[in-house]
Amino acid sequence: MSYTFLLPCANPPAPAINLLASKISRTRPSFPCRSSMEKQQLIKGSKLMEFPYLTDPHRDTMVDLISAMENRLGSHLLPSSVPPDVEHYQNESGTSQGTLHIRCGIDSSPIDFVLASWLHLEQPTGGALDITNIAGYLKSSTDVPHFQFELVKCSPTFLILFLDLIPRKDIVFSPDYLKTYYEDTQLEKFRQQLDQLPEVKPYFSSSLYFRCVVSPTGILVSIKCEDGAGPERVEEIIREHVRPMSNDIMKIWIDMCVGEGVQVGETERAVLEKRDSLIKSKAIQMDLSSSMPKQFGQEVADRVLRVIKSVYNV
């Protein structure tokens, strides 16, 4: 859900840090939960899974990732607690629309919560931004990185991709962390594969803070195909490269989550908790509170932000 670090509409949006943190002993959102059967019906028939403004390869990528989370992590998660008027919301004219789907982890799970969303934002100058996001966040009982996937369609021929396992520690002070989660998993090969495509270039977020949060193997690129095949080539890149790569990295992350993992002690847990909390607070401070009202109006923004802040525990 790309609510953080959105730039003005004249510029491409910087991919989100999005809910980068959690507390293991926090209070969960107080919204009523649905039964498992209601949850299954919701995810299959919801606006979230429609992805009405996406091309087929982009939609298929999102469905793959959501399905992987639901299938592999479903037993670790509570039913969705997001109110219906936040699951799908829009501005008065209907030109900006969004969805939000969140499932929090059960008490015994290392998962804090998983999140999926899409945004469709028509621009005053013409065209629209279509932003899709899938994220997974861990409790402070483990130091496993957070998962973040975001694909922003700025135009039919221009995309921004952010795909990363967000580190929970300062890697300079934790070389073993770098080896365990980034070297041994060979995540760098995915970035190098994309780097071979002539249409793919590094994308530099305007937020220096955001750049500090991304891992050394993080994929933050623009995909621009204005010559020749144009939109068809964009779809091919998503289908042949982005989709399989995203699925592979998602599988690596899920295997970390459901495996034994690295259990941390009380002192280290407090440090993880503080670091995650600072990043969450910074995300809200820098953009959330200002960008949401501009896109959706104050009443809708307040409604959505109330849910997000409840999950952030801020």
Side-chain angles (χ1 to χ4, degrees):
M1 181 177 54
S2 184
Y3 290 136
T4 52
F5 298 95
L6 283 176
L7 300 180
C9 295
N11 299 307
I17 289 179
N18 283 330
L19 311 175
L20 286 179
S22 56
K23 296 184 177 180
I24 187 169
S25 60
R26 63 171 196 208
T27 301
R28 291 298 182 185
S30 59
F31 308 110
C33 291
R34 297 175 174 84
S35 69
S36 296
M37 182 173 295
E38 288 173 332
K39 167 63 188 64
Q40 291 173 359
Q41 292 171 346
L42 170 66
I43 195 71
K44 290 178 180 178
S46 70
K47 285 284 186 180
L48 169 69
M49 297 299 279
E50 291 179 8
F51 300 110
Y53 301 98
L54 305 184
T55 62
D56 288 344
H58 191 165
R59 181 185 300 109
D60 292 343
T61 301
M62 292 298 294
V63 170
D64 280 354
L65 296 176
I66 292 173
S67 298
M69 274 196 175
E70 292 286 327
N71 294 336
R72 292 286 309 279
L73 301 179
S75 63
H76 289 262
L77 305 172
L78 296 167
S80 173
S81 58
V82 178
D85 61 357
V86 176
E87 287 172 351
H88 178 248
Y89 55 93
Q90 60 185 30
N91 61 4
E92 288 187 0
S93 63
T95 55
S96 291
Q97 299 182 38
T99 62
L100 176 61
H101 176 76
I102 300 173
R103 294 184 68 184
C104 296
I106 62 176
D107 289 343
S108 61
S109 173
I111 307 295
D112 190 6
F113 60 87
V114 298
L115 176 153
S117 70
W118 58 257
L119 286 172
H120 175 76
L121 308 174
E122 293 188 14
Q123 302 300 293
T125 56
L129 295 175
D130 288 298
I131 306 168
T132 54
N133 180 68
I134 299 179
Y137 306 94
L138 282 295
K139 295 174 182 174
S140 57
S141 56
T142 178
D143 64 4
V144 170
H146 301 308
F147 176 87
Q148 181 71 56
F149 170 91
E150 186 163 304
L151 189 56
V152 182
K153 186 181 78 172
C154 303
S155 77
T157 59
F158 180 35
L159 303 176
I160 296 172
L161 171 65
F162 175 42
L163 176 58
D164 197 14
L165 300 188
I166 303 291
R168 314 272 302 285
K169 293 183 177 181
D170 186 327
I171 292 177
V172 173
F173 285 102
S174 308
D176 290 344
Y177 193 85
L178 176 68
K179 183 178 188 302
T180 298
Y181 294 124
Y182 299 98
E183 292 180 356
D184 291 350
T185 53
Q186 300 181 357
L187 289 173
E188 175 65 8
K189 70 180 181 182
F190 298 107
R191 189 197 62 78
Q192 292 180 1
Q193 288 170 10
L194 268 186
D195 191 52
Q196 301 302 311
L197 302 178
E199 299 89 350
V200 175
K201 304 295 181 186
Y203 178 80
F204 297 101
S205 169
S206 64
S207 169
L208 298 182
Y209 184 85
F210 171 78
R211 298 187 204 176
C212 295
V213 176
V214 178
S215 81
T217 61
I219 296 171
L220 182 53
V221 298
S222 65
I223 303 170
K224 204 167 188 177
C225 305
E226 294 186 340
D227 298 326
E232 292 78 14
R233 175 57 176 159
V234 169
E235 293 186 23
E236 180 183 357
I237 290 174
I238 297 176
R239 182 175 57 253
E240 301 297 329
H241 299 279
V242 174
R243 183 182 180 186
M245 176 182 303
S246 303
N247 287 335
D248 287 345
I249 294 176
M250 168 71 82
K251 183 180 183 302
I252 290 171
W253 179 76
I254 290 178
D255 287 344
M256 292 177 182
C257 295
V258 300
E260 294 183 5
V262 178
Q263 299 301 307
V264 301
E266 290 297 326
T267 301
E268 187 177 359
R269 179 179 297 185
V271 174
L272 285 173
E273 196 167 290
K274 181 178 180 180
R275 187 178 190 275
D276 285 351
S277 182
L278 286 171
I279 294 175
K280 284 190 300 182
S281 299
K282 191 70 171 180
I284 292 178
Q285 172 191 340
M286 291 180 67
D287 193 77
L288 269 173
S289 297
S290 60
S291 63
M292 283 294 296
K294 291 177 182 177
Q295 294 290 351
F296 293 97
Q298 194 64 55
E299 189 275 330
V300 174
D302 287 345
R303 189 166 70 229
V304 176
L305 284 170
R306 186 163 54 247
V307 175
I308 295 172
K309 288 178 179 180
S310 177
V311 176
Y312 273 59
N313 195 36
V314 297

